[in-house]
């Protein structure tokens, strides 16, 4: 595995990753259509929704590769995490922030689940995905100075300098179960 000068894992994305991402996004779109979800996520044109979905899945594939896990689309389940009990947020900005929203509640059904969130940045030129760090949702959302209303959808912007290093990421029950199954096989 490669690491950058900050000791952050760097995953080289390949054509196989792009093909896999396209397959997963296609399956997600088909499921969404079957479930009659509103088309045009966030009222954006379908082309932008597709591009954003590809970016997100590429970040998830990078995290899955970090854990030596073969990511599969398991169908729609709003209670399921992105990868082995973690949520993944991906950006093409090298100095991008970890974006989170207020916690999901009965009165805020569009909020985020209270999990650990991993920030992945992708260099579009080299196709390298860097796992920048992680934080819990509660920690992301406790700093009022991180709240940003200037973008289209207000949310918390946690700078990379506030993230914990990925090598300090606590294992989830899903990760431990996967590692135990792999060790036995």
């Amino acid at each position: 595995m490669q690491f950058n000068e900050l000791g952050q894992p760097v995953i080289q994305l390949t054509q196989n990753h792009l093909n896999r991402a396209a397959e997963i996004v296609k399956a997600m779109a088909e499921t969404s259509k079957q479930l009659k979800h509103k088309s045009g996520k966030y009222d954006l044109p379908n082309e932008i929704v597709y591009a954003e979905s590809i970016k997100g899945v590429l970040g998830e594939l990078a995290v899955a590769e970090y854990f030596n896990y073969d990511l599969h689309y398991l169908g729609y389940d709003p209670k399921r995490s992105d990868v082995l009990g973690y949520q993944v947020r991906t950006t093409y900005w090298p100095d991008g922030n970890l974006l989170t929203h207020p916690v999901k509640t009965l009165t805020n059904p569009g909020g985020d689940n209270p999990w650990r969130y991993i920030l992945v940045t992708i260099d579009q030129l080299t196709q390298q995905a860097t796992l920048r760090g992680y934080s819990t949702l509660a920690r992301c959302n406790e700093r009022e100075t991180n709240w940003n209303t200037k973008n289209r959808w207000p949310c918390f912007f946690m700078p990379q300098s506030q993230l914990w290093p990925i090598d300090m990421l606590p294992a989830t029950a899903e990760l431990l179960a996967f590692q135990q199954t792999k060790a036995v096989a």
Side-chain angles (χ1 to χ4, degrees):
M1 177 166 301
Q2 284 184 286
F3 295 89
N4 66 11
E5 66 281 354
L6 298 174
Q8 298 166 332
V10 178
I11 307 299
Q12 181 62 59
L13 299 175
T14 64
Q15 188 63 48
N16 288 339
H17 291 102
L18 293 170
N19 294 344
R20 187 67 179 271
E23 290 170 11
I24 291 172
V25 169
K26 181 179 178 185
M28 290 166 51
E30 289 170 0
T31 300
S32 199
K33 189 174 182 179
Q34 290 170 356
L35 295 173
K36 296 180 175 30
H37 288 162
K38 179 183 170 191
S39 110
K41 184 178 183 181
Y42 306 120
D43 299 322
L44 294 171
N46 287 337
E47 298 79 19
I48 294 177
V49 172
Y50 180 80
E52 288 295 312
S53 297
I54 289 286
K55 176 180 67 177
V57 172
L58 286 172
E60 292 169 12
L61 288 167
V63 170
E65 188 164 318
Y66 174 73
F67 291 119
N68 202 23
Y69 174 71
D70 190 18
L71 184 68
H72 294 280
Y73 179 62
L74 302 173
Y76 176 75
D77 182 352
K79 296 177 183 165
R80 185 181 298 124
S81 65
D82 292 333
V83 180
L84 296 172
Y86 304 103
Q87 288 298 109
V88 179
R89 297 292 161 89
T90 308
T91 181
Y92 290 130
W93 297 97
D95 60 348
N97 298 297
L98 176 61
L99 306 184
T100 57
H101 300 90
V103 71
K104 182 182 287 189
T105 62
L106 291 175
T107 58
N108 182 30
D112 285 337
N113 289 311
W115 294 324
R116 290 181 181 93
Y117 287 74
I118 298 171
L119 176 63
V120 177
T121 62
I122 297 176
D123 182 318
Q124 289 181 288
L125 184 61
T126 64
Q127 288 298 298
Q128 290 184 325
T130 305
L131 282 62
R132 297 293 180 173
Y134 79 97
S135 187
T136 61
L137 180 67
R139 184 168 167 269
C140 287
N141 295 359
E142 72 185 3
R143 295 185 166 116
E144 288 181 27
T145 56
N146 288 355
W147 180 249
N148 186 322
T149 58
K150 294 178 182 160
N151 64 326
R152 188 170 180 177
W153 301 282
C155 61
F156 291 93
F157 279 50
M158 179 173 263
Q160 291 179 28
S161 61
Q162 293 177 6
L163 297 175
W164 289 314
I166 202 76
D167 62 353
M168 293 178 61
L169 183 67
T172 61
E174 293 93 330
L175 176 61
L176 292 172
F178 164 69
Q179 289 173 334
Q180 185 175 24
T181 302
K182 191 171 180 178
V184 171

